[in-house]
Coordinates of all heavy atoms in Angstrom, one line a residue:
M1 N 0.8 -1.2 0.0 CA 0.1 0.0 0.0 C 0.9 1.3 0.0 O 1.9 1.3 0.7 CB -0.9 0.0 1.2 CG -1.8 1.1 1.3 SD -3.0 0.9 2.7 CE -2.0 1.5 4.0
L2 N 0.5 2.3 -0.7 CA 1.2 3.5 -0.8 C 1.2 4.2 0.5 O 0.2 4.2 1.2 CB 0.6 4.4 -1.8 CG 0.8 4.0 -3.4 CD1 0.1 5.0 -4.2 CD2 2.3 3.9 -3.7
E3 N 2.3 4.9 0.9 CA 2.4 5.6 2.2 C 1.6 6.9 2.1 O 1.1 7.4 3.1 CB 3.8 6.0 2.5 CG 4.6 4.9 3.3 CD 5.9 5.5 3.5 OE1 6.0 6.7 4.3 OE2 7.0 5.0 3.1
L4 N 1.6 7.4 0.8 CA 1.0 8.8 0.6 C 1.7 9.8 1.5 O 1.0 10.4 2.5 CB -0.6 8.8 0.9 CG -1.4 7.8 0.1 CD1 -2.8 7.9 0.5 CD2 -1.2 8.1 -1.5
R5 N 2.9 10.0 1.3 CA 3.7 10.9 2.2 C 3.2 12.4 2.0 O 2.6 12.8 1.0 CB 5.2 10.9 1.7 CG 5.9 9.5 2.1 CD 7.2 9.4 1.6 NE 7.7 8.1 1.8 CZ 8.8 7.7 1.3 NH1 9.7 8.5 0.5 NH2 9.3 6.4 1.6
P6 N 3.4 13.1 3.1 CA 2.6 14.4 3.2 C 3.4 15.6 2.6 O 2.9 16.8 2.6 CB 2.5 14.6 4.7 CG 3.8 13.9 5.2 CD 4.0 12.8 4.4
N7 N 4.5 15.4 1.9 CA 5.3 16.6 1.5 C 6.2 16.3 0.3 O 6.5 15.1 0.1 CB 6.0 17.2 2.6 CG 7.1 16.3 3.1 OD1 7.0 15.1 3.3 ND2 8.4 16.9 3.1
C8 N 6.7 17.3 -0.4 CA 7.6 17.2 -1.4 C 9.1 17.1 -0.8 O 9.4 17.9 0.0 CB 7.6 18.4 -2.3 SG 9.0 18.5 -3.6
E9 N 9.9 16.1 -1.3 CA 11.2 15.9 -0.7 C 12.1 17.1 -1.1 O 13.2 17.2 -0.4 CB 11.8 14.5 -1.2 CG 11.5 13.4 -0.4 CD 12.3 12.1 -0.8 OE1 13.4 12.3 -1.0 OE2 11.7 11.1 -0.8
C10 N 11.8 17.7 -2.1 CA 12.7 18.9 -2.6 C 12.3 20.1 -1.8 O 13.2 20.7 -1.2 CB 12.4 19.1 -4.0 SG 13.3 18.0 -5.1
C11 N 11.1 20.6 -2.0 CA 10.9 22.0 -1.4 C 10.0 21.9 -0.2 O 9.6 23.0 0.3 CB 10.1 22.7 -2.5 SG 8.5 22.2 -2.9
N12 N 9.7 20.7 0.3 CA 8.9 20.5 1.5 C 7.4 21.0 1.4 O 6.8 21.3 2.5 CB 9.6 21.2 2.7 CG 9.1 20.5 4.0 OD1 8.5 19.5 4.0 ND2 9.4 21.3 5.1
K13 N 7.0 21.3 0.2 CA 5.7 21.8 0.1 C 4.7 20.7 0.5 O 4.9 19.4 0.3 CB 5.4 22.1 -1.5 CG 4.0 22.4 -1.8 CD 4.0 22.8 -3.3 CE 2.7 22.6 -4.1 NZ 2.7 23.1 -5.4
D14 N 3.5 21.1 1.1 CA 2.5 20.1 1.5 C 1.8 19.4 0.4 O 1.5 20.1 -0.7 CB 1.4 20.7 2.4 CG 1.9 21.1 3.7 OD1 3.0 20.4 4.2 OD2 1.3 21.9 4.4
L15 N 1.7 18.1 0.4 CA 1.1 17.3 -0.7 C 0.0 16.5 0.0 O 0.2 15.3 0.3 CB 2.1 16.4 -1.4 CG 3.1 17.3 -2.2 CD1 4.2 16.3 -2.7 CD2 2.5 18.0 -3.3
P16 N -1.2 17.0 0.3 CA -2.3 16.3 0.9 C -2.7 15.1 0.0 O -2.4 15.1 -1.2 CB -3.4 17.3 1.0 CG -3.1 18.5 0.1 CD -1.5 18.4 0.0
P17 N -3.3 14.1 0.6 CA -3.6 12.9 -0.1 C -4.6 13.1 -1.3 O -4.6 12.3 -2.2 CB -4.2 12.0 1.0 CG -4.5 12.8 2.1 CD -3.6 14.0 1.9
D18 N -5.3 14.1 -1.3 CA -6.2 14.4 -2.4 C -5.6 15.4 -3.5 O -6.4 15.9 -4.4 CB -7.5 14.9 -1.9 CG -7.4 16.3 -1.2 OD1 -6.3 16.8 -0.9 OD2 -8.4 16.9 -0.8
T19 N -4.3 15.8 -3.4 CA -3.8 16.6 -4.4 C -3.5 15.8 -5.7 O -3.1 14.7 -5.7 CB -2.6 17.4 -3.9 OG1 -2.1 18.3 -4.9 CG2 -1.5 16.4 -3.6
A20 N -3.7 16.5 -6.8 CA -3.3 16.0 -8.1 C -1.9 16.3 -8.4 O -1.4 16.0 -9.5 CB -4.3 16.5 -9.3
D21 N -1.2 17.1 -7.6 CA 0.2 17.6 -7.9 C 1.3 16.7 -7.2 O 2.5 17.2 -7.2 CB 0.3 19.0 -7.3 CG -0.4 20.0 -8.2 OD1 -0.6 19.5 -9.4 OD2 -0.9 21.1 -7.8
A22 N 0.9 15.6 -6.6 CA 1.9 14.7 -6.0 C 2.5 13.8 -7.2 O 1.8 13.2 -7.8 CB 1.4 14.0 -4.9
M23 N 3.8 13.6 -7.1 CA 4.4 12.6 -8.1 C 5.3 11.7 -7.3 O 6.0 12.2 -6.4 CB 5.3 13.4 -9.1 CG 4.6 14.6 -9.8 SD 3.4 14.2 -11.0 CE 4.4 13.6 -12.3
I24 N 5.3 10.5 -7.7 CA 6.1 9.5 -6.9 C 6.9 8.6 -7.9 O 6.5 8.4 -9.1 CB 5.2 8.6 -6.1 CG1 4.2 7.8 -6.9 CG2 4.6 9.3 -4.9 CD1 3.4 6.7 -6.1
C25 N 8.0 8.0 -7.3 CA 8.8 7.0 -8.1 C 8.3 5.6 -7.5 O 7.5 5.5 -6.6 CB 10.2 7.1 -7.9 SG 10.9 6.5 -6.4
S26 N 8.9 4.5 -8.1 CA 8.5 3.2 -7.7 C 8.8 2.9 -6.2 O 8.3 2.0 -5.6 CB 9.2 2.2 -8.5 OG 10.5 2.0 -8.3
F27 N 9.8 3.7 -5.6 CA 10.1 3.5 -4.2 C 9.2 4.5 -3.3 O 9.5 4.6 -2.1 CB 11.6 3.9 -4.0 CG 12.4 2.8 -4.6 CD1 13.1 3.0 -5.8 CD2 12.6 1.6 -4.0 CE1 13.9 2.2 -6.3 CE2 13.5 0.5 -4.6 CZ 14.1 0.9 -5.8
E28 N 8.4 5.3 -4.0 CA 7.5 6.1 -3.4 C 8.3 7.4 -2.8 O 7.9 8.0 -1.8 CB 6.6 5.6 -2.3 CG 5.3 6.2 -2.2 CD 4.3 5.6 -1.2 OE1 4.5 4.5 -0.9 OE2 3.4 6.4 -0.7
C29 N 9.4 7.7 -3.4 CA 10.0 9.0 -3.1 C 9.0 10.0 -3.7 O 8.4 9.8 -4.7 CB 11.3 9.2 -3.9 SG 12.5 7.9 -3.6
T30 N 8.6 11.1 -3.0 CA 7.5 11.9 -3.3 C 7.9 13.4 -3.6 O 8.6 14.0 -2.8 CB 6.5 11.8 -2.1 OG1 6.1 10.5 -1.9 CG2 5.2 12.6 -2.4
F31 N 7.4 13.9 -4.7 CA 7.8 15.2 -5.1 C 6.5 16.0 -5.5 O 5.5 15.3 -6.1 CB 8.8 15.3 -6.2 CG 10.1 14.4 -5.8 CD1 10.2 13.1 -6.1 CD2 11.0 15.1 -5.0 CE1 11.3 12.4 -5.7 CE2 12.1 14.4 -4.6 CZ 12.3 13.0 -5.0
C32 N 6.6 17.4 -5.6 CA 5.5 18.1 -6.1 C 5.6 18.1 -7.6 O 6.8 17.9 -8.2 CB 5.4 19.5 -5.4 SG 6.7 20.6 -6.0
R33 N 4.6 18.6 -8.3 CA 4.6 18.6 -9.8 C 5.6 19.7 -10.3 O 6.3 19.4 -11.2 CB 3.2 18.9 -10.3 CG 3.0 18.8 -11.8 CD 1.6 18.9 -12.2 NE 0.8 17.8 -11.8 CZ 0.6 16.6 -12.5 NH1 1.2 16.5 -13.6 NH2 -0.2 15.7 -11.9
D34 N 5.7 20.8 -9.5 CA 6.6 21.9 -10.0 C 8.1 21.3 -9.9 O 8.8 21.5 -10.9 CB 6.5 23.1 -9.0 CG 5.3 23.9 -9.3 OD1 4.6 23.7 -10.3 OD2 4.9 24.7 -8.3
C35 N 8.5 20.8 -8.8 CA 9.9 20.3 -8.8 C 10.1 19.1 -9.8 O 11.1 19.0 -10.5 CB 10.2 19.7 -7.4 SG 10.2 21.0 -6.1
T36 N 9.0 18.2 -10.1 CA 9.3 17.2 -11.0 C 9.4 17.7 -12.3 O 10.3 17.2 -13.1 CB 7.9 16.3 -11.0 OG1 7.8 15.8 -9.7 CG2 8.0 15.2 -12.0
E37 N 8.7 18.8 -12.7 CA 8.7 19.2 -14.2 C 9.9 20.2 -14.4 O 10.3 20.2 -15.5 CB 7.4 19.9 -14.5 CG 6.2 18.9 -14.6 CD 4.9 19.5 -14.9 OE1 4.9 20.8 -14.9 OE2 4.0 18.8 -15.1
T38 N 10.3 20.9 -13.3 CA 11.4 21.8 -13.6 C 12.7 21.2 -13.1 O 13.6 20.8 -14.0 CB 11.2 23.2 -12.8 OG1 11.0 22.9 -11.5 CG2 9.9 23.8 -13.3
T39 N 13.0 21.1 -11.8 CA 14.3 20.7 -11.3 C 14.7 19.3 -11.7 O 15.8 19.0 -12.1 CB 14.3 20.8 -9.7 OG1 13.7 22.0 -9.4 CG2 15.7 20.6 -9.2
L40 N 13.6 18.5 -11.6 CA 14.0 17.0 -11.7 C 13.8 16.4 -13.1 O 14.3 15.3 -13.4 CB 13.1 16.2 -10.7 CG 13.2 16.7 -9.3 CD1 12.3 15.9 -8.5 CD2 14.7 16.5 -8.8
V41 N 13.1 17.1 -14.0 CA 12.9 16.7 -15.4 C 12.3 15.3 -15.4 O 12.7 14.5 -16.2 CB 14.1 16.9 -16.2 CG1 13.7 17.0 -17.7 CG2 15.0 18.0 -15.8
G42 N 11.3 14.9 -14.5 CA 10.6 13.7 -14.5 C 11.4 12.5 -14.0 O 10.9 11.4 -14.1
R43 N 12.6 12.7 -13.4 CA 13.3 11.5 -12.8 C 13.5 11.7 -11.4 O 13.9 12.8 -10.9 CB 14.7 11.5 -13.5 CG 14.7 11.1 -15.0 CD 14.8 9.5 -15.2 NE 14.0 9.2 -16.3 CZ 13.7 7.9 -16.6 NH1 13.8 7.0 -15.8 NH2 13.0 7.7 -17.8
C44 N 13.4 10.6 -10.6 CA 13.7 10.6 -9.1 C 15.2 10.9 -8.9 O 16.0 10.2 -9.4 CB 13.2 9.4 -8.5 SG 13.6 9.3 -6.8
P45 N 15.5 11.8 -8.2 CA 16.9 12.2 -7.9 C 17.6 11.1 -6.9 O 18.7 11.1 -6.8 CB 16.9 13.6 -7.2 CG 15.5 13.6 -6.6 CD 14.6 12.8 -7.5
N46 N 16.8 10.3 -6.3 CA 17.3 9.4 -5.4 C 17.6 8.1 -6.1 O 18.6 7.4 -5.8 CB 16.2 9.1 -4.2 CG 16.0 10.3 -3.4 OD1 16.9 11.1 -3.2 ND2 14.7 10.5 -3.0
C47 N 16.8 7.6 -6.9 CA 17.0 6.3 -7.5 C 17.1 6.4 -9.1 O 17.5 5.3 -9.8 CB 15.7 5.3 -7.1 SG 14.2 5.8 -7.9
G48 N 16.8 7.5 -9.6 CA 16.9 7.7 -11.0 C 15.7 7.1 -11.9 O 15.7 7.2 -13.0
G49 N 14.7 6.7 -11.1 CA 13.5 6.1 -11.8 C 12.5 7.1 -12.2 O 12.6 8.4 -11.9
E50 N 11.5 6.6 -12.9 CA 10.5 7.6 -13.5 C 9.6 8.0 -12.4 O 9.3 7.3 -11.5 CB 9.7 6.6 -14.6 CG 8.6 7.4 -15.2 CD 7.8 6.4 -16.0 OE1 8.0 5.2 -15.9 OE2 6.9 6.8 -16.8
L51 N 9.2 9.3 -12.6 CA 8.2 9.8 -11.6 C 6.9 10.0 -12.3 O 6.8 10.5 -13.4 CB 8.7 11.2 -11.1 CG 9.8 11.3 -10.2 CD1 10.4 12.7 -10.0 CD2 9.4 10.7 -8.9
V52 N 5.8 9.4 -11.6 CA 4.4 9.4 -12.2 C 3.5 10.0 -11.2 O 3.8 10.0 -10.0 CB 4.0 7.9 -12.6 CG1 4.9 7.4 -13.6 CG2 4.0 7.1 -11.3
A53 N 2.4 10.5 -11.7 CA 1.4 11.0 -10.8 C 0.9 10.1 -9.8 O 0.7 8.9 -10.0 CB 0.2 11.5 -11.6
R54 N 0.9 10.5 -8.5 CA 0.3 9.6 -7.4 C -1.1 9.4 -7.5 O -1.9 10.5 -7.6 CB 0.7 10.2 -6.0 CG 0.5 9.3 -4.9 CD 0.9 10.0 -3.5 NE 0.2 11.1 -3.2 CZ 0.5 11.9 -2.1 NH1 1.6 11.7 -1.6 NH2 -0.2 12.8 -1.8
P55 N -1.6 8.2 -7.5 CA -3.1 8.0 -7.5 C -3.7 8.6 -6.3 O -3.2 8.7 -5.1 CB -3.2 6.5 -7.6 CG -2.0 5.9 -7.4 CD -0.9 7.0 -7.4
I56 N -5.0 9.1 -6.4 CA -5.6 9.7 -5.2 C -6.5 8.6 -4.6 O -7.3 7.9 -5.2 CB -6.5 10.8 -5.6 CG1 -5.5 12.0 -6.1 CG2 -7.4 11.3 -4.6 CD1 -6.3 13.1 -6.7
R57 N -6.3 8.4 -3.3 CA -7.1 7.4 -2.5 C -8.4 7.9 -2.2 O -8.4 9.1 -1.7 CB -6.3 7.0 -1.2 CG -6.9 5.9 -0.4 CD -6.0 5.4 0.7 NE -4.7 4.9 0.1 CZ -3.6 4.7 0.8 NH1 -3.6 4.9 2.1 NH2 -2.5 4.2 0.2
P58 N -9.4 7.2 -2.4 CA -10.9 7.8 -2.2 C -11.0 8.1 -0.7 O -10.5 7.5 0.2 CB -11.7 6.6 -2.6 CG -10.9 5.7 -3.5 CD -9.5 5.9 -3.1
A59 N -11.6 9.2 -0.5 CA -11.8 9.8 0.9 C -12.3 8.7 1.9 O -11.8 8.7 3.0 CB -12.8 11.0 0.8
E60 N -13.2 7.9 1.5 CA -13.8 6.9 2.4 C -12.7 6.0 2.9 O -12.6 5.3 3.9 CB -15.1 6.3 2.0 CG -15.0 5.3 0.9 CD -15.0 5.9 -0.5 OE1 -14.8 7.2 -0.6 OE2 -15.2 5.2 -1.4
K61 N -11.8 5.6 1.9 CA -10.7 4.7 2.2 C -9.6 5.3 3.1 O -9.0 4.6 3.9 CB -10.1 4.1 0.9 CG -11.0 3.4 0.0 CD -11.4 2.1 0.5 CE -12.0 1.2 -0.5 NZ -13.4 1.3 -0.4
L62 N -9.5 6.6 3.0 CA -8.5 7.3 3.9 C -8.9 7.1 5.4 O -8.0 7.2 6.2 CB -8.4 8.7 3.5 CG -7.6 9.1 2.3 CD1 -7.7 10.5 1.9 CD2 -6.0 8.8 2.6
L63 N -10.1 7.0 5.6 CA -10.5 6.8 7.0 C -10.0 5.5 7.6 O -9.4 5.5 8.7 CB -12.0 6.8 7.2 CG -12.7 8.1 6.7 CD1 -14.3 7.9 6.8 CD2 -12.4 9.2 7.6
K64 N -10.0 4.5 6.8 CA -9.5 3.2 7.3 C -8.0 3.0 7.0 O -7.3 2.4 7.7 CB -10.3 2.1 6.5 CG -10.0 0.7 7.2 CD -11.0 -0.4 6.6 CE -10.6 -1.7 7.3 NZ -11.4 -2.8 6.5
Y65 N -7.5 3.6 5.9 CA -6.1 3.5 5.5 C -5.6 4.9 5.3 O -5.4 5.4 4.2 CB -6.0 2.8 4.2 CG -6.6 1.5 4.1 CD1 -7.9 1.3 3.6 CD2 -6.0 0.4 4.8 CE1 -8.5 0.0 3.6 CE2 -6.6 -1.0 4.7 CZ -7.8 -1.1 4.2 OH -8.4 -2.3 4.2
P66 N -5.2 5.6 6.5 CA -4.8 7.0 6.4 C -3.5 7.2 5.8 O -2.7 6.3 5.7 CB -4.8 7.4 7.9 CG -4.7 6.1 8.7 CD -5.3 5.1 7.8
A67 N -3.3 8.4 5.3 CA -2.0 8.8 4.6 C -0.9 8.8 5.7 O -1.2 9.1 6.9 CB -2.2 10.1 3.9
S68 N 0.3 8.7 5.3 CA 1.5 8.9 6.2 C 1.6 10.3 6.6 O 1.2 11.2 5.8 CB 2.7 8.4 5.4 OG 3.9 8.8 6.1
N69 N 2.1 10.5 7.9 CA 2.4 11.9 8.3 C 4.0 12.0 8.5 O 4.4 13.0 9.1 CB 1.7 12.3 9.5 CG 1.8 11.4 10.7 OD1 2.7 10.5 10.7 ND2 1.0 11.4 11.7
R70 N 4.7 11.0 8.0 CA 6.1 11.1 8.1 C 6.8 11.9 7.0 O 6.7 11.5 5.8 CB 6.7 9.7 8.0 CG 8.1 9.5 8.3 CD 8.5 7.9 8.4 NE 8.4 7.3 7.1 CZ 9.5 7.2 6.3 NH1 10.7 7.8 6.5 NH2 9.4 6.6 5.0
R71 N 7.3 13.1 7.4 CA 7.8 14.0 6.4 C 9.2 13.6 6.0 O 10.0 13.3 6.9 CB 7.9 15.4 6.9 CG 6.4 16.0 7.2 CD 6.4 17.4 7.6 NE 6.5 18.3 6.5 CZ 5.4 18.7 5.9 NH1 4.2 18.4 6.2 NH2 5.5 19.5 4.9
V72 N 9.5 13.5 4.7 CA 10.8 13.1 4.2 C 11.3 14.3 3.3 O 10.6 14.7 2.5 CB 10.8 11.8 3.3 CG1 12.3 11.6 2.8 CG2 10.4 10.7 4.1
V73 N 12.5 14.9 3.7 CA 13.0 16.0 3.0 C 14.5 15.8 2.8 O 15.2 15.4 3.7 CB 12.9 17.4 3.7 CG1 13.3 18.5 3.0 CG2 11.4 17.6 4.2
K74 N 14.9 16.1 1.5 CA 16.4 16.0 1.2 C 17.1 17.2 1.9 O 16.8 18.2 1.6 CB 16.5 15.9 -0.3 CG 16.1 14.7 -1.0 CD 16.1 14.7 -2.5 CE 17.6 14.6 -3.0 NZ 18.1 13.3 -2.7
Q75 N 18.2 16.8 2.7 CA 18.8 17.8 3.5 C 19.5 18.8 2.5 O 19.6 20.0 2.8 CB 19.8 17.2 4.3 CG 19.2 16.6 5.6 CD 20.3 16.2 6.7 OE1 21.3 16.1 6.4 NE2 19.8 16.3 7.9
D76 N 20.1 18.4 1.4 CA 20.8 19.2 0.6 C 20.0 19.7 -0.6 O 20.7 20.3 -1.6 CB 22.1 18.5 0.1 CG 23.0 18.1 1.2 OD1 23.1 18.8 2.3 OD2 23.6 16.9 1.1
G77 N 18.7 19.6 -0.6 CA 18.0 20.1 -1.7 C 18.1 19.1 -2.8 O 18.6 18.1 -2.7
C78 N 17.4 19.5 -4.0 CA 17.4 18.5 -5.1 C 18.2 19.1 -6.2 O 18.2 20.2 -6.5 CB 15.9 18.4 -5.5 SG 15.0 17.2 -4.6
V79 N 18.8 18.2 -6.9 CA 19.4 18.4 -8.3 C 18.9 17.2 -9.1 O 18.6 16.1 -8.6 CB 21.0 18.4 -8.2 CG1 21.4 19.6 -7.4 CG2 21.5 17.2 -7.5
A80 N 18.8 17.4 -10.3 CA 18.4 16.5 -11.3 C 19.3 15.3 -11.2 O 20.5 15.3 -11.0 CB 18.4 17.0 -12.8
A81 N 18.7 14.1 -11.5 CA 19.4 12.8 -11.5 C 20.4 12.8 -12.6 O 20.2 13.4 -13.7 CB 18.4 11.7 -11.7
V82 N 21.6 12.2 -12.3 CA 22.6 12.3 -13.4 C 22.2 11.1 -14.4 O 21.9 9.9 -14.1 CB 24.0 11.8 -12.8 CG1 25.1 11.8 -13.8 CG2 24.4 12.9 -11.7
A83 N 22.2 11.6 -15.6 CA 21.7 10.6 -16.8 C 22.7 9.6 -17.0 O 23.9 9.8 -16.8 CB 21.4 11.4 -18.0
Ligands
ZN101 ZN1 8.6 20.4 -4.6
ZN102 ZN1 13.1 7.2 -6.2

């Protein structure tokens, strides 16, 4: 099950579980759409993998399966993955 992390690892912007602006890689590193499209150019800076839009969990399912509140932020900020 996806953690649905609460923020962007790059800029620490809040990414609530119902936002369409959250992007994740296969390891669920989580970024906002702005960072994904500008800084990261669609690649996860941690694993080099593809970043795709995070699916939105239906509100009634969030009651039983709540989103993570564990914030993950890259200490040194983000740079694009080395190709
Ligand atoms: Zn961001
Ligand atoms: Zn990753």
Side-chain angles (χ1 to χ4, degrees):
M1 186 174 82
L2 292 177
E3 276 185 59
L4 303 175
R5 292 179 190 166
N7 66 310
C8 172
E9 275 191 39
C10 283
C11 66
N12 202 19
K13 175 175 156 178
D14 285 340
L15 294 171
D18 62 351
T19 183
D21 287 336
M23 310 288 289
I24 58 172
C25 79
S26 70
F27 295 100
E28 215 178 333
C29 311
T30 304
F31 304 96
C32 71
R33 190 175 292 274
D34 283 346
C35 290
T36 298
E37 290 178 354
T38 57
T39 313
L40 304 176
V41 206
R43 291 272 150 197
C44 175
N46 299 327
C47 68
E50 182 186 11
L51 289 169
V52 299
R54 185 175 71 187
I56 292 173
R57 185 168 301 164
E60 74 270 16
K61 296 288 190 270
L62 278 169
L63 296 176
K64 193 170 176 191
Y65 304 102
S68 165
N69 56 16
R70 186 172 70 90
R71 300 182 82 87
V72 178
V73 183
K74 289 174 73 66
Q75 281 194 337
D76 301 325
C78 276
V79 290
V82 179

